[in-house]
Amino acid sequence: MRLRVAAGGPAALKVLAAAGAAAAPVRLVWGGPLERPLAPLSPPWAPALELDSGTVLFSPNAICQFFFLARGEEPTDLTNQWLEWEATELQPAASAALYAQLVHGRKGLEAVEALGKLLAHIEQNLSRRGTAYLAGDTKSVADVVVWGTLFPVLQDETSLPSELQVLRTWFQSMTLSEACRKAADSVLMPKALLEFKSYLQKQPSPCLAMERATSNEPEPSLQEEEGSEPALTEEEITAAVDAWARGVAALPKPWQPQKPVLPVEGMRNVLITSALPYVNNVPHLGNIIGCVLSADTFARYCRLRNWNTLYVCGTDEYGTATETKAVEEGLTPQEICNKYNAIHTDIYRWFDISFDYFGRTTTPYQTMIAQDIFQRLLARGFLLQDTVEQLQCEDCQRFLADRFVEGTCPFCSYEEARGDQCDKCGKLINAVELKNPQCKLCRGVPVVKPTQHLFLDLPKLEEQLEPWLEQSWATGDWTANARYITRSWIRDGLKPRCITRDLKWGTPVPLDGFRDKVFYVWFDAPIGYLSITANYTDQWERWWKNPQQVELYNFMAKDNVPFHSVIFPCSLLGADDNYTLVNHLIATEYLNYEDGKFSKSRGVGVFGDMAKDTGIPADIWRFYLLYLRPEGQDSAFSWSDLMLKNNSELLNNLGNFINRAGMFVCKFFGGTVPDMVLTPDDERLLARVTLELHQYHQLLEKVRIRDALRCILSISRHGNQYIQVNEPWKRIKGDEKDRQRAGTVTGVAVNMASMLAVMLQPYMPSVSLAIQGQLCIPPDCFVLSHNFTCTLPPGHRVGTVSPLFQKLEHDQIEALRKRFGGGQPEDLAVEPQAKQTPPASVTLVAPGDPQLIQELTEEVAKQGNHVRQLKANKAEKAQVDTEVVKLLELKKQLALAEGKSPEVLAPTGKRKK
């Protein structure tokens, strides 16, 4: 590869740093500013990478990505989001700042001020995620690209404001790294910078676009830094005081829809679905936050906004997964469905999920609607027939559906990949592509046999899909990962998708020659949304064939995105029956458990049926899961953090404020809200709380559920500070003026508590109800508006006030951590070791052979690097353990070759306490 760069050009900095960080084998060619660029429209300072194939890359970011890809580092959704943010937000601003520095002579501090919000954004994201680098604990292409854009403007971390401490640490770490330091020394030479300045002086001043409005894409967005206090205007204060004075009259009347809930002309009609959970298992905390709990929180918010809302879900009961579970448990598929549907129903009831209807897919309506969509696709020429090579188990005398096959993933070599999708890399697989396939029923080796199947002609439907996607993206809120995953599918080119399977348990295919087959679950399952609604109301078409009046929100984890953004919409578009298509696709990343993954078989992690046995109330679980909802990247459940958040945010912050506000009314004013005479300080507090309320609405309207929760906690912090500064418990003992002040502070505080009860309802419905009962909040006040109003006026009587939360003790948490921790690390290492070939060669090693010692030394180094790479990429623990065992075996052989006694070696990784 030949890399052409020009000294002095800022773009060369990131490219050289990326080449160094990725150890890319490039031949460097330094070009001058007057040389003709390789690309006709590129500026003379633009770098270019000429590949051995003759292809030339001109985009600096594309070159950086290529270097990291060549090293085997696949981009994550988060690195792609950072690169998009850098290209669209940071790079234009940094270019303008550098122009101002070099051409207009602006000082560095002025440039930093121009980048203020962008720098605060990086600081906030690094702080919030608690990681050393932008996309995790290891350096990625995102770090190199963002650093390369900032360094020419900032030069070193001392030019950054002292309050941006986390950003300073990151910037210093990047600057001191060998790759970045060498790149800076090579590119930013004084003579070259003078030439670059001369070039800039001949160019027009760059125009910087104005700040964009709140958006759901990409996830890292420009926000106020946490803890910052924007200045209040007189208009904001006046408006807040006016809204407060209007009281309950300013609130809309709560909307009570008729049953069943149906679309209403002239209202905002919101249809919410969460991905249908498989009926063959018990959902763990990650499943719960990824789908039903997130959707429930948003549905509750919608109802509080008086939006006409229907929330449906149910168990996905057809397909291979059910047949597999039935075989495992010695039951029929129907018995398995009945058993696990009841388990799911109980779990969601305990978590207080407010479905309007929770159904199932094994119903006559499912058969009727799925077959109708199929017939319409067939009649319109969107189905194909083809012969498929499929695995057949000769011992079981049956074709093996995807989930009856297990083997090694052809993409990432994960040894326990399913026949339809790899759980490790997430790629979709055809079962015949698996290496070393095994029948899950008898562990026999299946053979490949041809069989006829039907396919959805996705390439033919693409011309309908793409304009619909563009419109949905332009008008709706799709999370960044949903857009990225969908774009990847479109970019790679759509291929016909098989929609039939050789199974018995499923919706029958109504076509001669295929009547012994059923629909593939990913054609059939999303239709469950429609059939479940049909079981709720026979007027289901008013929701599902009414795109003019209905807004559809789909909630899911990111692995479900392609089926909801490509395959299901193509089915409905092809059916051509005015179906309601998704407007807002909300996908989460994954929730992990402590330092690993949930595993029912190993007893690792908390599953839905276990949560209620911990003694921790459902609302605490809801709060914590929503607090760490994986909105932009994977997050991890932590027992220590659960205890910390419960004791600090709930007990000491939110609960403390609401309890004190209510207790002051009872203790000092006989249970009656006192008269209030507002001071300028009180009026500013009303405006501050109103701003937080507006932010809460803006975030929830964009389905930024986790961030909106911070607004609630911020309001209670304002309330605690307000009480502490004004000390009503002291003023109540003073003169008339002091007692009046105590009354005002108590009255304002208890009204803040009343508003918090409403804001909290989507997150913690039982706690919200308890506050409503304790403060005797009128039902007509349980509606969300954009104004902080006085809902508990002077003379209002409150009830008995008691603490809302209990402290979680360290011993209690440690006992739960141990209970849900599964097997000990040494036990878990046995399984991969058992899979290894017995190391007979160990006894044959001849000590003192220099060539053998050299070979083994190189093998140990190579395997050690491989293990470190796996750990850096956060590979599956089982895969890491397997490679560690290989490393230890190689070290043992090396010790024998060197004539040493091979001590028993053990992994030196982190161990659970």
Side-chain angles (χ1 to χ4, degrees), residues 116 140 189 232 326 360 370 373 460 480 485 573 600 666 718 744 784 913:
S140 71
M189 296 181 295
L232 295 168
R360 52 200 306 183
I373 291 173
K460 193 173 182 180
I485 291 167
L573 286 166
K600 189 78 168 178
C666 295
H718 282 302
T744 299
L784 276 170
K913 297 181 180 177

Side-chain angles (χ1 to χ4, degrees), residues 516-810:
D516 59 340
K517 303 180 191 294
V518 299
F519 289 128
Y520 176 38
V521 68
W522 274 115
F523 173 78
D524 191 55
I527 297 172
Y529 299 133
L530 285 63
S531 71
I532 288 168
T533 309
N535 279 283
Y536 169 67
T537 171
D538 58 6
Q539 300 182 68
W540 64 274
E541 291 183 343
R542 290 178 59 184
W543 284 107
W544 285 103
K545 295 184 180 181
N546 190 6
Q548 296 79 19
Q549 288 188 333
V550 174
E551 280 185 72
L552 174 58
Y553 286 80
N554 288 163
F555 285 80
M556 69 202 67
K558 65 179 179 182
D559 56 335
N560 277 335
V561 167
F563 307 106
H564 288 79
S565 67
V566 177
I567 296 175
F568 187 43
C570 278
S571 300
L572 298 183
L573 286 166
D576 189 24
D577 203 14
N578 196 39
Y579 277 107
T580 302
L581 300 177
V582 61
N583 304 95
H584 316 275
L585 202 156
I586 314 299
T588 61
E589 302 290 321
Y590 295 137
L591 177 72
N592 296 315
Y593 179 79
E594 294 280 352
D595 55 354
K597 292 194 173 185
F598 291 88
S599 171
K600 189 78 168 178
S601 61
R602 292 191 288 117
V604 175
V606 182
F607 286 71
D609 55 345
M610 304 170 180
K612 57 185 172 184
D613 298 330
T614 61
I616 298 173
D619 267 19
I620 306 301
W621 287 107
R622 287 178 62 108
F623 167 82
Y624 184 60
L625 291 173
L626 291 163
Y627 189 94
L628 51 80
R629 182 175 183 261
E631 291 186 2
Q633 68 175 130
D634 292 357
S635 59
F637 172 90
S638 160
W639 284 107
S640 299
D641 190 50
L642 169 64
M643 179 176 70
L644 177 66
K645 295 300 185 293
N646 178 83
N647 295 348
S648 59
E649 292 291 10
L650 292 181
L651 186 66
N652 295 338
N653 176 18
L654 182 67
N656 180 54
F657 169 66
I658 292 173
N659 185 253
R660 291 169 87 188
M663 287 298 294
F664 291 157
V665 176
C666 295
K667 184 175 180 180
F668 301 145
F669 300 99
T672 301
V673 175
D675 290 330
M676 291 164 273
V677 180
L678 301 181
T679 66
D681 283 345
D682 301 325
E683 293 175 349
R684 279 190 290 274
L685 176 66
L686 301 184
R688 185 74 62 201
V689 171
T690 300
L691 286 181
E692 291 287 355
L693 177 60
H694 288 173
Q695 179 77 349
Y696 169 87
H697 282 299
Q698 288 172 6
L699 291 167
L700 275 177
E701 285 172 4
K702 295 289 182 183
V703 204
R704 299 268 289 282
I705 295 170
R706 182 193 61 200
D707 291 339
L709 179 55
R710 269 62 168 181
C711 297
I712 295 174
L713 301 174
S714 180
I715 290 173
S716 60
R717 271 191 284 273
H718 282 302
N720 276 315
Q721 185 179 13
Y722 178 61
I723 288 174
Q724 283 302 116
V725 167
N726 286 282
E727 300 179 321
W729 62 92
K730 290 184 180 179
R731 292 182 181 271
I732 196 67
K733 301 172 185 176
D735 58 20
E736 182 62 31
K737 183 178 179 182
D738 277 342
R739 288 196 298 274
Q740 183 185 75
R741 184 65 190 145
T744 299
V745 172
T746 298
V748 171
V750 79
N751 272 278
M752 287 175 66
S754 175
M755 188 184 75
L756 284 170
V758 186
M759 295 176 70
L760 197 61
Q761 199 265 1
Y763 296 89
M764 306 179 78
S766 295
V767 171
S768 171
L769 190 62
I771 301 168
Q772 184 181 12
Q774 291 183 20
L775 301 183
C776 300
I777 304 171
D780 280 356
C781 296
F782 245 68
V783 63
L784 276 170
S785 79
H786 281 71
N787 296 312
F788 174 28
T789 63
C790 180
T791 54
L792 306 182
H796 173 85
R797 289 198 61 81
V798 302
T800 302
V801 176
S802 58
L804 296 167
F805 305 108
Q806 291 184 335
K807 185 179 182 181
L808 290 177
E809 300 293 347
H810 182 265

Side-chain angles (χ1 to χ4, degrees), residues 25-133:
V26 297
R27 184 163 61 89
L28 200 59
V29 179
W30 290 97
L34 301 179
E35 286 187 22
R36 183 179 178 182
L38 293 178
L41 299 179
S42 295
W45 260 271
L49 178 67
E50 188 173 354
L51 305 181
D52 295 337
S53 63
T55 302
V56 181
L57 301 180
F58 302 109
S59 161
N61 283 11
I63 295 172
C64 294
Q65 284 182 287
F66 178 83
F67 289 148
F68 277 81
L69 275 169
R71 194 173 72 166
E73 293 189 21
E74 290 284 340
T76 66
D77 289 346
L78 190 56
T79 56
N80 282 314
Q81 290 164 18
W82 275 112
L83 291 173
E84 185 174 347
W85 176 82
E86 185 273 343
T88 58
E89 301 283 358
L90 180 62
Q91 202 176 110
S95 297
L98 188 62
Y99 186 95
Q101 270 185 332
L102 295 179
V103 177
H104 299 312
R106 299 265 175 89
K107 301 298 181 185
L109 185 60
E110 294 178 74
V112 172
E113 289 175 354
L115 298 175
K117 287 191 175 182
L118 297 159
L119 298 176
H121 165 64
I122 303 174
E123 166 83 10
Q124 178 186 339
N125 277 272
L126 285 168
S127 301
R128 188 175 66 218
R129 294 190 172 94
T131 54
Y133 297 99

Side-chain angles (χ1 to χ4, degrees), residues 135-193:
D137 290 321
T138 56
K139 196 181 303 175
S140 71
V141 64
D143 296 283
V144 175
V145 167
V146 172
W147 173 85
T149 300
L150 287 175
F151 187 81
V153 180
L154 303 177
Q155 295 292 315
D156 63 65
E157 73 281 356
T158 58
S159 58
L160 289 165
S162 58
E163 61 266 22
L164 301 181
Q165 194 55 51
V166 180
L167 173 59
R168 292 182 74 161
T169 302
W170 169 83
F171 191 79
Q172 181 183 43
S173 171
M174 291 297 299
T175 304
L176 294 178
S177 67
E178 184 180 4
C180 294
R181 191 177 69 252
K182 284 185 175 179
D185 292 343
S186 302
V187 173
L188 302 181
M189 296 181 295
K191 182 181 177 182
L193 283 175

